């Protein structure tokens, strides 16, 4: 029953947000400021799902400087856990297929995010160059999921090099953002789904890298993020253990 209620509330929330965003953005469509504004709204979905988000390291974001932000991509729940970490004038990079997603696709497009055709490999180089140019022409940062697909409990998947080539081409830092594992951690039928930790790491200067070094840079960032995610998961496990111990203690006292 709780699961059904949450799905209904989340659906109503997304539909209302999309309709409002469409009218709001008609006055300045695809303006990068809209993404940050509506991400504040999506950050509230945590309350519907019974999740407490612990957000850290925002001081590491190189705002107002431009950057390519990278994050681990786990599931559709990323739209609940990640929006609060997105910085002003940052847009995300997504596949064009998102346009067919009811309501959300329209919201994604009109708020100013960048849609690309990932299936056309022949144009990948041009796409990277165009996004790198847009970073400076439109004065924005870009948020990318370098795994290219949702991991769905398989851990941090290997990184594609597109985001790193983009940062090197544009001459802007790479800023990793890590989210603790959510796979099998969030149950829509459970009232309290505990905590999820998101943490922004320090920006990585790419000035010493050439385009031919993109794979090296990707591997370096992958190692940093894998280590940090493991640390966050261990912290969440300790928190859960402490909560269970306190609950057992309360039950013993009540007997």
């Amino acid at each position: 029953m709780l699961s059904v209620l949450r799905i209904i509330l989340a659906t109503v929330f997304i539909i209302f947000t999309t309709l409002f965003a469409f009218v709001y953005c008609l006055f300045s469509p695809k303006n990068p400021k809209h993404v940050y504004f509506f991400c504040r709204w999506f950050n509230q979905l945590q309350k519907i799902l019974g999740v407490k988000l612990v957000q850290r390291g925002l001081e590491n974001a190189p705002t107002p400087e431009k950057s390519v932000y990278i994050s681990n991509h786990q599931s559709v729940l990323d739209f609940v856990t990640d929006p609060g970490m997105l910085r002003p004038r940052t847009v995300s990079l997504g596949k064009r297929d998102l346009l067919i997603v009811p309501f959300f696709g329209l919201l994604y497009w009109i708020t100013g995010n960048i849609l690309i055709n990932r299936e056309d490999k022949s144009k990948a180089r041009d796409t990277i160059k165009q996004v790198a140019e847009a970073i400076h022409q439109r004065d924005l940062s870009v948020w990318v999921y370098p795994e290219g697909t949702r991991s769905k409990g398989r851990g941090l998947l290997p990184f594609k090099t597109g985001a790193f080539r983009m940062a090197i081409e544009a001459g802007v830092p790479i800023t990793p953002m890590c989210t603790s594992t959510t796979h099998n951690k969030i149950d829509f039928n459970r009232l309290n789904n505990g905590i999820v930790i998101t943490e922004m790491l320090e920006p990585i200067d790419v000035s010493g890298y050439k385009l031919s070094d993109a794979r090296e840079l990707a591997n370096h960032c992958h190692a940093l993020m894998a280590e940090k995610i493991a640390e966050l998961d261990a912290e969440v496990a300790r928190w859960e253990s402490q909560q269970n111990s306190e609950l057992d203690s309360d039950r013993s006292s009540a007997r």
Side-chain angles (χ1 to χ4, degrees), residues 174-186:
I174 285 278
T175 307
M177 198 288 288
C178 299
T179 301
S180 61
T181 300
T182 57
H183 184 70
N184 287 337
K185 296 285 186 178
I186 298 177

Side-chain angles (χ1 to χ4, degrees), residues 16-189:
F16 174 80
T17 300
T18 301
L19 294 176
F20 178 82
F22 183 75
V23 175
Y24 182 87
C25 294
L26 282 177
F27 297 97
S28 56
K30 305 191 74 173
N31 189 319
K33 70 178 183 180
H34 298 323
V35 180
Y36 177 77
F37 177 74
F38 285 103
C39 273
R40 303 305 95 194
W41 290 35
F42 272 91
N43 195 43
Q44 303 309 309
L45 281 170
Q46 59 175 300
K47 298 175 182 177
I48 295 177
L49 296 187
V51 174
K52 178 181 179 182
L53 289 180
V54 178
Q55 299 170 332
R56 299 176 183 158
L58 290 177
E59 68 279 1
N60 289 326
T63 305
E65 299 300 320
K66 296 176 279 290
S67 179
V68 172
Y69 293 91
I70 57 173
S71 178
N72 51 318
H73 195 16
Q74 302 185 69
S75 69
V76 69
L77 292 174
D78 293 343
F79 295 112
V80 178
T81 60
D82 295 0
M85 301 299 286
L86 188 133
R87 300 294 80 206
R89 296 198 67 80
T90 300
V91 300
S92 66
L93 201 63
K95 55 186 178 181
R96 194 170 298 173
D97 294 350
L98 286 172
L99 278 174
I100 66 175
V101 178
F103 295 101
F104 180 79
L106 175 63
L107 175 66
Y108 192 86
W109 172 78
I110 201 168
T111 49
N113 293 293
I114 299 174
L115 292 161
I116 61 173
N117 184 4
R118 289 182 177 173
E119 303 303 320
D120 193 343
K121 305 297 183 183
S122 64
K123 294 184 178 179
R125 179 71 183 86
D126 289 338
T127 298
I128 290 171
K129 186 175 179 62
Q130 289 169 10
V131 175
E133 291 173 351
I135 287 173
H136 295 292
Q137 292 171 356
R138 296 176 58 192
D139 186 29
L140 50 79
S141 293
V142 178
W143 187 288
V144 184
Y145 292 108
E147 293 163 280
T149 188
R150 299 167 185 167
S151 59
K152 298 179 180 179
R154 292 173 289 173
L156 190 64
L157 302 179
F159 286 171
K160 300 180 183 300
T161 60
F164 308 94
R165 295 172 63 87
M166 199 179 298
I168 295 170
E169 182 94 46
V172 299
I174 285 278
T175 307
M177 198 288 288
C178 299
T179 301
S180 61
T181 300
T182 57
H183 184 70
N184 287 337
K185 296 285 186 178
I186 298 177
D187 183 347
F188 280 24
N189 276 315

Side-chain angles (χ1 to χ4, degrees), residues 211-248:
L211 284 175
S212 57
D213 300 325
R215 171 49 60 193
E216 177 187 344
L217 178 58
N219 291 342
H220 173 62
C221 292
H222 188 281
L224 288 176
M225 291 178 64
E227 181 180 4
K228 174 54 67 173
I229 292 168
E231 291 177 4
L232 298 181
D233 287 348
E235 183 176 347
V236 170
R238 289 194 297 271
W239 183 88
E240 290 175 343
S241 178
Q242 180 180 353
Q243 293 298 307
N244 290 334
S245 295
E246 292 177 357
L247 183 60
D248 289 343

